Amino acid sequence: SLLAFPLLLLLQPTVEAALVILQFAASGGLIAAGVIVLVATTAVFAFLAGRVFPEKKFGGRFVFFPVQPRPQDGALSALQWFAVSQGDWEDANWQAETDSFVRSHFLLFADYSDRCRWFFAVELGVSAALGVISGLAQKQTVECNTAAWAVVMVLAPYAAAMIFLRPHESRLNLSF
């Protein structure tokens, strides 16, 4: 979604900057700022994970309506099959007098199917891990090869999970 993508892009440099500040800070104020950024980032992640990912707190349901390409429609049908969602999220127990769970938390699972609605947590974890690696790589004692292998160790399982789990609700989202 348009909102989740910037969050994933901003998490890595935020974690990296906080670690760089902690490594090279000359004053107590800068060290405190780095610690505050890391603690706040961890607290927000823990809050979101506790609010959305436990099964008993989750109030949404994914309704499938798969699009099948029709050869008689040609390229337009194939494009629809690739880009259109295979379903949509709706509230499981929505009542008019309550807030919509799906509307309130859509950012966290909108791009995923019911098989892997928790995959946003994986993507945040990968982004944070890459931030840690690049932040620690700024120190002269960390070799480039070590940092490169650490990145491979994070991205290889992530790529395998993307291929085997196919967590996204549309094939287009899986591609990007």
Side-chain angles (χ1 to χ4, degrees), residues 43-110:
V44 167
F45 179 72
F47 171 76
L48 293 175
R51 178 85 172 125
V52 173
F53 301 119
E55 192 65 37
K56 63 183 176 186
K57 291 185 178 182
F58 190 75
R61 171 179 59 226
F62 193 78
V63 179
F64 281 96
F65 45 88
V67 175
Q68 297 297 327
R70 298 183 326 192
Q72 64 269 26
D73 291 343
L76 181 60
S77 178
L79 182 62
Q80 268 188 321
W81 177 81
F82 180 71
V84 173
S85 174
Q86 300 175 55
D88 203 5
W89 287 98
E90 64 182 29
D91 285 300
N93 299 313
W94 187 73
Q95 300 166 0
E97 61 272 359
T98 62
D99 288 334
S100 167
F101 179 85
V102 170
R103 186 177 296 154
S104 299
H105 300 89
F106 200 60
L107 162 72
L108 303 174
F109 57 86

Side-chain angles (χ1 to χ4, degrees), residues 154-170:
V154 170
L155 291 181
Y158 174 69
M162 292 285 287
I163 291 167
F164 292 112
L165 293 176
R166 291 175 287 128
H168 294 89
E169 48 80 43
S170 77

